[in-house]
Amino acid sequence: MKSDSSASAAALRGPGGPLRSSEPVSAAPAPSLAEVLLEEAADLLVVHLDFRAALDTCERACRSLASDGQTEDHAGTSLEVKCALCVVGIQALAEMNRWQEALSWVLQYYQDPEKLPPKVLELCILLYSKMQEPGIALGVVSAWLRDSHNQSLPEHRALADLHLQRVLLPLGRWAEAEELVVGSAALDAEQRQDALQAICTARQQRKCTHPGSEEAPEPSQADSLSHKFLSLLMLLRRLWGATVSHVSSLPFKKTLLAAVILCLLVVKFDPASPSSLPFLCKLAQLFHQLREAVFSPLYRLPVQH
């Protein structure tokens, strides 16, 4: 009995001795609306698999964080809750096959790419890398890594390595990759050398799988115009050859008659008028000269027996 009574007394005592009736009992602070919504969103995502409702709940929670004035004591908690809400929202978008919207959806709550939490940025890199669209995250991650405040964070080195392996190297951004490695203060000499070697290896593999893709110079504007002009000349040559072949197969009188009819339609003159007679004579003379110039070389070709 003595031991039971002493145990009961110990249960009533706090860590600083027995409780007094005049001392207030400390209670845990009530969770904020955003925290309650975060728990609800996670439950909808994992348990109920209601991804649309989970995303809507995350958006409600983020709006509540933006509207509520946060004190300095709760500022850290609010940032953690906001980061967790973005993680849940990204997962909900991915489950709904709306992964392209993940980065833009997050940025509407952080505005500046440099302010994104490292965990959110890491999730976006992994998501776009898995979907083989790493270029979507290229600009945002580069801006985040260049920020002076972010360079002092302990997550900077891991994100820089992830950016190198999952974004820059798959995209073939060799110059940006080397600049990232050389300019990173978080790497020592050995780590920098290993990263540069990884860039060189990826570059050689790209050359083997896509030969000539890197060495091929980008065509200049003059070369492009020259190529187009040559193509136009070849097209005109083929059209002229087809025209000559077609005309040579027609009787001369029919060709002359077709030309006269065409002139009648275009010029709209009266062939019965005396003033039209000189024009018709000149037209006939012109066709005779054209026939001699075009078809005479064909008649002079040697006949093979």
Side-chain angles (χ1 to χ4, degrees), residues 74 104 163 261 273:
H74 296 85
S104 59
H163 181 54
I261 295 175
S273 176

Side-chain angles (χ1 to χ4, degrees), residues 6-304:
S6 60
S8 301
L12 294 175
R13 290 196 301 266
L19 294 175
R20 299 176 182 178
S21 58
S22 60
E23 294 179 356
V25 179
S26 59
S32 63
L33 176 60
E35 292 175 304
V36 174
L37 293 175
L38 171 61
E39 184 176 356
E40 180 182 345
D43 188 62
L44 290 169
L45 177 71
V46 178
V47 179
H48 301 284
L49 303 180
D50 192 345
F51 310 122
R52 177 70 259 182
L55 182 64
D56 293 340
T57 305
C58 290
E59 292 176 347
R60 285 172 51 206
C62 289
R63 287 194 297 267
S64 70
L65 285 175
S67 60
D68 294 343
Q70 300 294 331
T71 62
E72 294 183 1
D73 297 337
H74 296 85
T77 304
S78 298
L79 290 177
E80 294 177 0
V81 172
K82 188 176 182 179
C83 176
L85 287 168
C86 288
V87 170
V88 175
I90 291 173
Q91 293 177 348
L93 287 170
E95 293 291 347
M96 292 187 292
N97 199 25
R98 292 170 55 188
W99 51 270
Q100 301 95 332
E101 308 172 28
L103 195 56
S104 59
W105 181 83
V106 169
L107 285 174
Q108 67 179 329
Y109 300 112
Y110 285 95
Q111 284 79 41
D112 297 327
E114 295 83 359
K115 296 180 181 180
L116 287 175
K119 184 65 177 177
V120 173
L121 197 61
E122 177 186 4
L123 184 59
C124 289
I125 295 174
L126 294 174
L127 174 62
Y128 291 124
S129 175
K130 181 179 180 181
M131 303 308 296
Q132 298 182 354
E133 291 290 344
I136 300 178
L138 176 62
V140 173
V141 182
S142 299
W144 192 95
L145 292 174
R146 287 193 300 265
D147 185 73
S148 57
H149 172 71
N150 295 332
Q151 290 178 359
S152 62
L153 297 177
E155 299 89 352
H156 184 273
R157 177 182 166 184
L159 278 175
D161 183 67
L162 191 66
H163 181 54
L164 176 67
Q165 300 293 337
R166 298 297 187 98
V167 180
L168 295 179
L169 295 186
L171 291 176
R173 300 293 189 109
W174 317 120
E176 296 180 35
E178 293 174 354
E179 181 183 356
L180 176 65
V181 172
V182 173
S184 178
L187 300 177
D188 55 29
E190 183 178 357
Q191 292 170 342
R192 187 173 289 106
Q193 184 61 33
D194 292 340
L196 291 175
Q197 183 61 37
I199 296 173
C200 183
T201 302
R203 203 169 189 170
Q204 294 297 328
Q205 291 176 352
R206 176 66 65 89
K207 287 182 180 179
C208 294
T209 54
H210 302 83
S213 60
E214 187 175 5
E215 289 76 7
E218 191 171 323
S220 62
Q221 185 176 4
D223 295 338
S224 178
L225 291 175
S226 177
H227 179 71
K228 292 180 179 179
F229 182 68
L230 290 176
S231 300
L232 179 61
L233 288 180
M234 294 297 296
L235 178 61
L236 291 175
R237 184 179 178 181
R238 287 195 296 267
L239 289 175
W240 173 250
T243 303
V244 170
S245 176
H246 178 69
V247 171
S248 62
S249 63
L250 295 176
F252 177 69
K253 292 183 179 180
K254 291 184 178 180
T255 305
L256 180 60
L257 179 60
V260 172
I261 295 175
L262 180 62
C263 290
L264 293 177
L265 294 175
V266 175
V267 184
K268 295 182 180 179
F269 71 96
D270 186 9
S273 176
S275 60
S276 303
L277 184 59
F279 178 78
L280 293 176
C281 294
K282 290 182 180 180
L283 184 62
Q285 185 180 2
L286 178 62
F287 267 87
H288 278 293
Q289 294 175 357
L290 180 63
R291 184 177 184 183
E292 290 294 328
V294 175
F295 303 123
S296 294
L298 299 178
Y299 298 149
R300 290 195 295 265
L301 289 176
V303 179
Q304 296 181 0

